[in-house]
Amino acid sequence: MRKIVVQMSVSLDGFFEGPGGDIGWHQVDEELHQHFNDVIAPMGGFLSGRVSHELMAAYWPTADQDPTASGPEREFARIWRDMPKIVYSRTLDHADWNATVVREVDVEQVRRLTAEPGGDLALGGADLAATFARHDLIDEYRIYVHPVLVGRGRRLFPDAETPTGLRLVESRVFGNGVVLLRHERVR
């Protein structure tokens, strides 16, 4: 059974983006980017919302042609382009780069998707992650805590009605001070 994995960066005070959508405080160096590539490459697909997909599609399809791109960035461009994607959107009619548009999160459809063979599914976008969490569809959280206090912006985790039990399965400190906290859902 494939898992649905949220992989997001947050500030120490819990924001995934600062005011005005600022993510300039993310500290993604070559070591961290290579780690992202290593865990994403074997996955079976990306699940993202429209905003996340459009942000990715604005840069990654041709990032490997940028002479200033690092080795991990060029590698990720190829991973992103080739990986199957499902984009959840009520407004997009179609999306490029190996993507299928789905209008709504249908719990049964997602469960069928996780029952298919292949690698785990990377869930991106805070709003979509909140929807998946409300439907209890997230199996694993990979949260990368960056050593910065943003102070305000958008929090990754919205208020929840009930606690969600998690079990720590991995932690790792990267050379730039980013800390990975990897938790699995307790079922």
Side-chain angles (χ1 to χ4, degrees):
M1 194 98 168
R2 302 198 289 183
K3 294 187 298 185
I4 295 178
V5 179
V6 171
Q7 183 169 316
M8 296 281 290
S9 289
V10 298
S11 62
L12 184 61
D13 50 353
F15 296 98
F16 73 91
E17 64 182 21
D22 177 38
I23 59 169
W25 49 269
H26 284 200
Q27 298 178 23
V28 181
D29 61 8
E30 285 200 33
E31 176 195 19
L32 184 57
H33 208 287
Q34 187 59 57
H35 165 80
F36 290 159
N37 292 352
D38 294 344
V39 298
I40 289 173
M43 290 195 163
F46 290 114
L47 310 175
S48 62
R50 178 193 56 81
V51 173
S52 294
H53 178 75
E54 288 179 340
L55 286 171
M56 299 295 280
Y59 179 71
W60 290 111
T62 59
D64 55 345
Q65 298 168 19
D66 180 348
T68 65
S70 68
E73 288 172 324
R74 286 191 301 277
E75 179 184 357
F76 184 78
R78 290 185 294 274
I79 292 168
W80 188 86
R81 251 193 332 263
D82 295 344
M83 185 82 61
K85 299 163 201 60
I86 294 177
V87 180
Y88 290 89
S89 173
R90 293 181 190 105
T91 59
L92 283 180
D93 289 324
H94 110 285
D96 292 323
W97 307 108
N98 202 15
T100 302
V101 175
V102 174
R103 295 281 171 232
E104 301 285 336
V105 175
D106 177 320
V107 173
E108 291 309 312
Q109 180 186 40
V110 172
R111 289 193 175 123
R112 285 191 301 273
L113 187 61
T114 60
E116 292 176 3
D120 294 337
L121 303 167
L123 177 63
D127 293 335
L128 185 61
T131 300
F132 272 62
R134 272 195 310 276
H135 292 294
D136 195 26
L137 293 170
I138 299 173
D139 301 298
E140 184 177 311
Y141 293 84
R142 294 179 187 168
I143 306 302
Y144 295 85
V145 182
H146 293 248
V148 62
L149 298 171
V150 175
R152 57 193 175 93
R154 289 186 63 202
R155 293 198 180 277
L156 177 56
F157 299 109
D159 294 339
E161 298 294 319
T162 58
T164 300
L166 303 172
R167 180 175 60 90
L168 180 67
V169 293
E170 179 186 5
S171 64
R172 177 178 173 183
V173 180
F174 294 89
N176 62 5
V178 171
V179 176
L180 162 63
L181 297 173
R182 183 174 155 228
H183 290 83
E184 289 181 345
R185 179 81 161 87
V186 174
R187 302 233 181 241

